[in-house]
């Protein structure tokens, strides 16, 4: 989420009238008012919210035309553009390609950094824009997918460099803040007048004051929480990088993997040091660490750098830490289930020449994934979106179990339970389709439910080659349905023989 710059306004109540925009503060005031209006409407009327956010951008841009050196106007414009391009509700309202909106936000952030190269918030937000662009590149499934993934790796490296610079700036400011607190404490203990220092301890500085309508820039002090936020962002960016390396090993240069290992170790040590006495952040840190370890292990296994025993042992250990409190964490249980599903896929993708050799391990991994998702769905207070996710992933795990009944795996337990696993998948997908609020996820769940229903008969030898019901169930036409089937086969969710 974009880091906002805080402002306080003090003004006398007066009737609304057309606002005069003469100074940089005038433009700032008008933009903030549009932002506040956009925030009020975001949950209830996304169209109106987007309209107000765009007005805020327009006002900031108008202000920059008159005051091109205004860091506050430049920062606010860039921040709102990032909000528009990354918030799910607002993204749905975009009238142009998402990539264009992200590139526009990137250009605005780069302009802000030209004005203030060491603005920590701008550095952080710029890295967020780059990460979003890289994720979009990596999702490209066109003819140039390999080139897009290679470019995404470069963009993520740039994001990591900015995050590292941001952290360096924040660490320096944190030490300055501690020194200011020490001096203030000494003066207070000595009985001196510490009125001026109190402002420093409160983390606020006031700018110039106008006679009518006063604006104060609020400079919040850098705290340990600030440092933890930045390190967690770095861990998240590295996780995305590892995911691309897993799906496309050739996308990154050969030296990338050891570099990621070294940087990961350094960040783990750093976040452990700065989070001491931060008990409220330990679970969040443990989850970020587990996600990165899982992605790094998957990339290492697929590239032949580690064996399956190491993969399993270190993956299990990452999600078994006390700090994670897995049994009580919805997010942690879902993440563990995703990690187990990725482990299963990595085993499937490994070219070991014997599909049966690891079938028992795969069976255990998949049933463990289902158990984690079941536990997550049973936790009181789970959101509808998370509940939909648990059902969708349980459907995938059940289909994987069903597909193990067919050659080349032909796992005996899977053979005996194939129809039941397909039935379970059908039910889970129906539930996911009913619960999710995302239209694409709803459509995918619907087609997967139809495939699972077909597999019940297929696994009992009652249906071969007649996929008409599946194709007719498609909410987006037969062409889209065939594409989904091909994806499911390539992911080994259903047996290769389904379309033969």
């Amino acid at each position: 989420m974009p880091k906002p710059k805080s402002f306080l306004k003090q003004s006398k109540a007066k009737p609304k009238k057309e606002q005069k925009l003469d100074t940089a503060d005038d433009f700032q005031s008008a933009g903030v008012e549009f932002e506040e209006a956009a925030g009020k409407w975001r949950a209830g009327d996304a169209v109106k919210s987007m309209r107000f956010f765009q007005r805020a951008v327009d006002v900031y841009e108008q202000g920059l035309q008159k005051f091109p050196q205004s860091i506050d106007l430049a920062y606010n414009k860039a921040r709102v553009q990032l909000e528009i391009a990354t918030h799910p509700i607002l993204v749905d309202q975009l009238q142009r390609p998402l990539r264009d909106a992200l590139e526009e936000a990137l250009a605005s952030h780069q302009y802000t950094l030209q004005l203030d190269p060491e603005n920590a918030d701008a550095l952080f937000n710029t890295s967020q824009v780059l990460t979003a662009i890289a994720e979009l590149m990596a999702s490209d499934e066109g003819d140039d997918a390999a080139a897009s993934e290679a470019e995404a790796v470069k963009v993520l490296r740039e994001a990591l460099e900015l995050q590292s610079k941001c952290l360096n700036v924040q660490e320096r400011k944190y030490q300055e803040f501690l020194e200011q607190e020490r001096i203030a404490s000494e003066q207070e203990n000595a009985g001196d007048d510490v009125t001026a220092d109190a402002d420093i301890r409160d983390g606020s500085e006031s700018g110039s004051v106008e006679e009518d309508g006063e604006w104060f820039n609020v400079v919040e002090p850098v705290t340990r929480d600030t440092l933890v936020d930045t390190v967690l962002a770095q861990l998240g960016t590295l996780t995305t990088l590892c995911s691309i390396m897993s799906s496309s090993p050739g996308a990154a240069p050969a030296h990338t993997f050891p570099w990621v290992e070294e940087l990961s170790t350094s960040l783990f040590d750093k976040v452990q040091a700065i989070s001491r006495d931060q008990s409220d952040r330990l679970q969040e840190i443990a989850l970020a660490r587990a996600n990165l370890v899982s992605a790094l292990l998957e990339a290492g296994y697929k590239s032949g750098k580690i064996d399956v025993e190491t993969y399993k042992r270190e993956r299990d250990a990452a999600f078994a830490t006390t700090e994670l409190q897995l049994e009580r964490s919805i997010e942690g249980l879902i993440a563990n289930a995703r990690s187990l599903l990725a482990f299963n896929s990595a085993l499937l993708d490994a070219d070991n020449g014997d599909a049966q050799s690891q079938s028992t391990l795969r069976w255990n991994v998949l049933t463990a994934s289902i158990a984690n998702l079941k536990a997550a769905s049973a936790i009181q207070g789970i959101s509808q979106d998370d509940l939909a996710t648990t059902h969708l992933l349980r459907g995938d795990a059940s289909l994987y179990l069903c597909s193990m009944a067919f050659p080349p795996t032909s796992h005996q337990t899977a053979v005996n339970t194939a129809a039941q696993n397909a039935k379970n998948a059908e039910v889970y997908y129906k539930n996911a389709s009913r619960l999710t609020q995302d239209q694409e996820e709803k459509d995918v769940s619907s087609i997967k439910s139809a495939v699972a229903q077909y597999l019940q008969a297929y696994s009992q030898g009652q249906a071969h080659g007649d996929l008409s019901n599946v194709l007719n169930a498609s909410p987006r036409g037969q062409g889209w349905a065939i594409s989904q089937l091909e994806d499911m086969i390539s992911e080994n969710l259903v047996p290769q023989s389904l379309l033969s």
Side-chain angles (χ1 to χ4, degrees):
M1 187 63 64
K3 288 190 174 183
K5 194 161 196 153
S6 299
F7 300 97
L8 294 178
K9 184 180 182 183
Q10 296 180 345
S11 60
K12 298 177 181 178
K14 54 186 178 181
K16 285 279 184 181
K17 61 181 180 179
E18 187 175 347
Q19 192 170 3
K20 290 182 61 178
L21 303 179
D22 295 326
T23 68
D25 280 351
D26 290 339
F27 286 100
Q28 183 171 282
S29 173
V32 169
E33 287 183 6
F34 282 132
E35 284 192 63
E36 291 173 347
K40 292 176 182 177
W41 285 104
R42 179 155 47 193
D45 190 332
V47 174
K48 187 173 289 187
S49 178
M50 173 64 94
R51 189 158 58 242
F52 278 118
F53 272 124
Q54 191 56 57
R55 287 177 183 172
V57 171
D58 293 342
V59 167
Y60 293 138
E61 174 58 28
Q62 292 167 20
L64 285 170
Q65 295 299 316
K66 293 183 66 175
F67 306 97
Q69 299 302 308
S70 172
I71 295 172
D72 290 336
L73 289 174
Y75 176 86
N76 278 3
K77 176 191 171 187
R79 175 180 54 76
V80 175
Q81 288 175 325
L82 176 55
E83 180 86 0
I84 289 172
T86 55
H87 195 289
I89 291 178
L90 300 176
V91 168
D92 289 342
Q93 302 303 317
L94 286 173
Q95 301 298 312
R96 54 186 170 145
L98 176 58
R99 178 67 179 272
D100 291 351
L102 287 168
E103 292 289 355
E104 185 177 64
L106 177 60
S108 295
H109 279 87
Q110 290 170 335
Y111 179 76
T112 304
L113 289 176
Q114 289 177 15
L115 298 176
D116 186 2
E118 292 202 340
N119 186 309
D121 288 343
L123 287 166
F124 184 93
N125 287 353
T126 307
S127 74
Q128 298 300 92
V129 182
L130 289 169
T131 301
I133 290 174
E135 290 172 345
L136 202 59
M137 288 178 173
S139 65
D140 184 4
E141 298 180 355
D143 296 336
D144 296 330
S148 294
E149 289 178 328
E151 186 62 27
V153 169
K154 294 179 183 178
V155 173
L156 288 172
R157 291 288 297 259
E158 184 180 352
L160 285 163
E161 290 173 4
L162 289 174
Q163 288 168 343
S164 178
K165 183 177 180 180
C166 173
L167 186 61
N168 289 337
V169 171
Q170 290 172 333
E171 287 178 320
R172 186 177 71 247
K173 290 185 176 181
Y174 179 58
Q175 292 304 318
E176 292 172 356
F177 172 68
L178 292 180
E179 179 64 14
Q180 290 171 340
E181 279 203 322
R182 184 189 66 77
I183 294 173
S185 178
E186 288 179 354
Q187 292 178 342
E188 186 174 6
N189 291 337
D192 293 339
D193 182 5
V194 293
T195 302
D197 296 300
D199 285 340
I200 296 175
R201 291 198 300 277
D202 291 339
S204 62
E205 296 178 356
S206 61
S208 59
V209 180
E210 296 182 14
E211 185 175 348
D212 184 20
E214 302 170 2
W215 278 92
F216 300 89
N217 288 357
V218 179
V219 181
E220 297 182 355
V222 174
T223 65
R224 284 190 183 181
D225 273 326
T226 312
L227 302 180
V228 169
D229 287 340
T230 302
V231 177
L232 288 177
Q234 289 177 286
L235 296 179
T237 303
L238 278 177
T239 302
T240 301
L241 177 58
C242 288
S243 297
I244 296 175
M245 291 166 59
S246 296
S247 61
S248 182
H255 64 271
T256 303
F257 187 82
W259 173 78
V260 171
E261 283 188 308
E262 182 179 353
L263 180 56
S264 300
T265 300
S266 173
L267 291 174
F268 291 154
D269 292 341
K270 183 179 288 289
V271 76
Q272 183 176 5
I274 63 179
S275 64
R276 62 180 183 274
D277 304 324
Q278 302 265 119
S279 58
D280 59 323
R281 304 299 299 272
L282 294 181
Q283 186 178 42
E284 182 183 6
I285 293 168
L287 180 57
R289 183 184 186 281
N291 284 332
L292 175 52
V293 168
S294 175
L296 187 58
L297 289 170
E298 183 184 0
Y301 179 71
K302 286 186 174 181
S303 61
K305 294 180 174 61
I306 62 172
D307 57 28
V308 66
E309 290 78 14
T310 301
Y311 188 172
K312 181 181 186 306
R313 181 181 64 254
E314 295 189 8
R315 195 220 71 83
D316 290 349
F319 282 94
T321 58
T322 304
E323 293 81 4
L324 188 54
Q325 302 179 48
L326 189 64
E327 68 282 355
R328 290 181 288 172
S329 170
I330 295 171
E331 190 176 2
L333 288 165
I334 292 176
N336 191 29
R338 290 187 186 278
S339 174
L340 288 165
L341 288 171
F343 187 16
N344 168 72
S345 296
L347 294 174
L348 270 169
D349 292 342
D351 186 16
N352 55 22
D354 184 2
Q356 298 182 9
S357 63
Q358 294 171 343
S359 61
T360 300
L361 174 57
R362 285 186 55 218
W363 182 270
N364 292 338
V365 164
L366 290 168
T367 53
S369 176
I370 292 173
N372 274 262
L373 294 165
K374 180 180 179 180
S377 67
I379 295 178
Q380 188 174 6
I382 185 171
S383 69
Q384 183 172 324
D385 286 344
D386 283 339
L387 187 58
T389 297
T390 65
H391 282 281
L392 180 58
L393 295 179
R394 285 163 88 177
D396 286 349
S398 298
L399 269 196
Y400 276 126
L401 290 174
C402 178
S403 69
M404 289 180 66
F406 303 94
T409 305
S410 301
H411 184 65
Q412 189 56 54
T413 306
V415 171
N416 296 338
T417 58
Q420 183 59 54
N421 285 323
K423 177 62 178 176
N424 291 343
E426 179 193 1
V427 173
Y428 292 139
Y429 286 136
K430 283 184 177 179
N431 288 340
S433 180
R434 175 176 53 85
L435 290 166
T436 185
Q437 301 176 64
D438 182 272
Q439 188 58 50
E440 182 174 359
E441 194 171 274
K442 187 182 293 290
D443 293 344
V444 170
S445 298
S446 295
I447 193 68
K448 283 185 172 182
S449 178
V451 171
Q453 186 178 41
Y454 174 82
L455 278 174
Q456 293 175 57
Y458 183 85
S459 64
Q460 296 171 327
Q462 299 173 7
H464 287 279
D466 183 13
L467 292 170
S468 57
N469 289 337
V470 173
L471 299 179
N472 291 334
S474 169
R476 302 193 184 191
Q478 292 193 1
W480 180 83
I482 292 173
S483 175
Q484 291 297 310
L485 278 172
E486 291 173 343
D487 287 345
M488 293 172 74
I489 289 173
S490 68
E491 295 168 6
N492 294 293
L493 270 172
V494 295
Q496 297 283 339
S497 56
L498 190 66
L499 289 182
S500 61

